[in-house]
């Protein structure tokens, strides 16, 4: 059952620590968009505090909505808005409630339909977004790799939009692994980009550290807790602490805070960790492409900003003679334009209905990739 999707969709995203609103035409053309990041708010705690995130969404979203509507007015399309999309999951439940509440109220006030949208589908549909001639490389069928602080998943999407989960992480997400290892090395949260910058300083030619990555035999699942543990052992050794000595993780982390890892060892550990994570991602993508002839490769999520990962995946795609689409960074990280794109596709391809906002929607902290909106 496929449907006619609204042409101009106002989209709201608030699943984690980015508040965002956008206006997207035909699921592709970004007319206006705003993102307010809460990174600074959560940096001191070393992670996202759900209560603080929800409060910040509550403060930020109305301003972002105003700004997007002002821009829509200037573009002469404000009155053409014909549907409202909102991330209904997966994510932090308090944050989702703030976004879905705002979107429902705004849609109800204007008599517009609501589209409950998957955050994960948003990440892979970001490859369809365009603005001023930038972006828009996505097409089906595709294999999608979504790698962020909260998610690591590999999926296939058929020519008609049918989605199948091929693999996911059995422990930490890829971005989470980057962040945890960065923390061991004394870098502030979220440390993925800083860890990568540190790793880039590794001198060429010298002996390189190699970290193991758990094998998830016979499946396309990922596991990153092993690389984190191995990096922690190297960090402790570098400050002269016996890593096999009994001690809780928190106590070991405190030792690393008191006695930072020397600069040269930091670089080598960062480089080894990055290599191990990138190799694990690239290997699974290679296998997935082999199993899906004709599929292009789409990459999304904040970790897609990682230079060595982009290079490795480009190499994998080129070797398999496939196209690759990695959206510009601001559409790889959490944003609302991708929710507008995903909502349009989900209605068009019959996976989502146009909902009556008066009936309300129920956000869900977990939402399996490819399934219809949870009710
Ligand atoms: O998609 P995103 O903005 O937020 C969610 O987690 O949903 O992704 C953020 C994640 C963080 O874990 C961050 O450390 C990681 O992406 N990240 C990177 C890089 N830039 C951001 N990881 C590795 N290398 C990077 N250059
Ligand atoms: Zn995300």
């Amino acid at each position: 059952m496929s449907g006619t999707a609204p042409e101009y969709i106002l989209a709201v995203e608030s699943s984690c620590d980015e508040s965002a609103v956008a206006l997207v035409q035909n699921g592709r053309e970004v007319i206006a968009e705003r993102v307010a990041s809460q990174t600074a708010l959560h940096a001191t705690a070393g992670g996202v505090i759900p209560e603080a995130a929800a409060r910040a969404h509550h403060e930020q979203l109305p301003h972002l909505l105003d700004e997007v509507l002002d821009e829509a007015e200037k573009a002469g399309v404000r009155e053409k808005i014909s549907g409202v999309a909102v991330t209904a999951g997966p994510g932090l439940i308090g944050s989702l409630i703030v976004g879905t509440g705002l979107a429902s109220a705004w849609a109800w006030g204007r008599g517009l339909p609501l589209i409950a949208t998957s955050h994960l589908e948003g990440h892979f549909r970001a490859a369809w977004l365009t603005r001023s001639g930038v972006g828009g490389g996505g097409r089906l069928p595709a294999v999608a790799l979504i790698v962020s602080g909260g998610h690591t998943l590999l999926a296939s999407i058929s020519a008609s939009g049918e989605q199948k989960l091929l693999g996911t992480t059995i422990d930490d997400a890829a971005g989470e692994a980057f962040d945890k290892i960065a923390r061991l090395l004394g870098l502030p949260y979220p440390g993925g980009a800083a860890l990568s910058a540190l790793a880039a300083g590794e001198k060429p030619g010298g002996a390189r550290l190699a970290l193991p990555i758990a094998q998830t035999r016979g499946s396309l699942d990922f596991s990153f807790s092993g690389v984190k543990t191995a990096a922690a052992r190297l960090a402790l050794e570098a400050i002269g602490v016996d890593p096999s000595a009994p001690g809780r993780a928190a106590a070991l982390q405190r030792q690393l805070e008191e006695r930072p890892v020397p600069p040269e060892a930091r670089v080598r550990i960062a480089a080894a960790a990055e290599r191990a994570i990138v190799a694990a991602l690239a290997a699974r993508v290679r296998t997935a492409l082999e199993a899906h002839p004709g599929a292009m490769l789409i990459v999304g999520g904040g970790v897609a900003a990682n230079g060595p990962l982009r290079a490795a995946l480009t190499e994998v795609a080129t070797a398999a003679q496939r196209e690759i689409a990695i959206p510009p960074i601001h559409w790889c990280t959490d944003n609302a334009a991708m929710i507008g794109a995903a909502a349009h596709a989900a209605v068009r391809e019959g996976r989502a209905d146009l909902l009556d906002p008066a009936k309300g929607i129920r956000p869900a902290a977990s939402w399996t990739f490819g399934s219809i909106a949870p009710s």
Side-chain angles (χ1 to χ4, degrees), residues 11-14 18-22 34-36 57 61 64 334-337:
V12 176
E13 154 65 36
S14 68
E18 258 93 33
S19 314
V21 179
R34 291 289 185 283
V35 179
H57 289 305
L61 282 174
L64 305 177
D334 288 352
N335 66 88

Side-chain angles (χ1 to χ4, degrees), residues 13 15-18 37 39 48 119 123 146-151 173-180 182 188-197 274 277-278 300-310 329 331-335 338:
E13 154 65 36
S15 63
C16 189
D17 58 348
E18 258 93 33
S37 175
T39 303
V48 178
H119 180 81
H123 271 305
I146 308 301
V147 269
S148 74
H151 307 285
E176 192 180 358
F178 270 112
D179 293 341
K180 285 180 175 171
Y189 172 86
L195 182 132
S196 186
E274 181 173 58
I277 296 170
V278 167
V303 182
N306 185 272
L309 178 64
R310 295 167 88 93
I329 301 304
W331 288 332
C332 282
T333 53
D334 288 352
N335 66 88
M338 70 182 195

Side-chain angles (χ1 to χ4, degrees), residues 178-307:
F178 270 112
D179 293 341
K180 285 180 175 171
I181 296 165
R183 184 161 181 222
L184 294 172
L185 301 178
L187 299 168
Y189 172 86
L195 182 132
S196 186
L198 197 61
E202 190 179 45
K203 293 195 189 78
R208 295 179 159 204
L209 295 173
L211 295 184
I213 279 261
Q215 296 299 318
T216 45
R217 206 151 30 111
S219 93
L220 289 172
D221 283 341
F222 302 90
S223 168
F224 295 108
S225 71
V227 69
K228 177 195 64 193
T229 307
R233 291 179 71 90
L234 289 174
L236 288 166
E237 270 167 17
I239 60 165
V241 173
D242 176 3
S244 57
R248 298 214 342 265
L252 295 173
Q253 178 75 44
R254 214 170 311 119
Q255 301 216 38
L256 285 166
E257 273 154 28
E258 282 158 14
R259 266 190 293 164
V261 177
E264 204 206 331
R266 271 174 106 214
V267 171
R268 297 180 72 210
I269 296 168
E274 181 173 58
R275 266 196 302 277
I277 296 170
V278 167
L281 293 168
R284 309 294 193 282
V285 168
R286 185 181 299 117
T287 308
L289 284 179
E290 278 164 10
H292 294 85
M296 79 170 300
L297 175 61
I298 290 173
V299 190
V303 182
N306 185 272

Side-chain angles (χ1 to χ4, degrees), residues 42 49 62 67 95 137-138 140 195 210 226 228 237 252 262 283 291 302 316 356:
H42 303 296
I49 308 160
E67 288 178 19
S95 293
L140 297 178
L195 182 132
K228 177 195 64 193
E237 270 167 17
L252 295 173
V316 166
D356 175 357

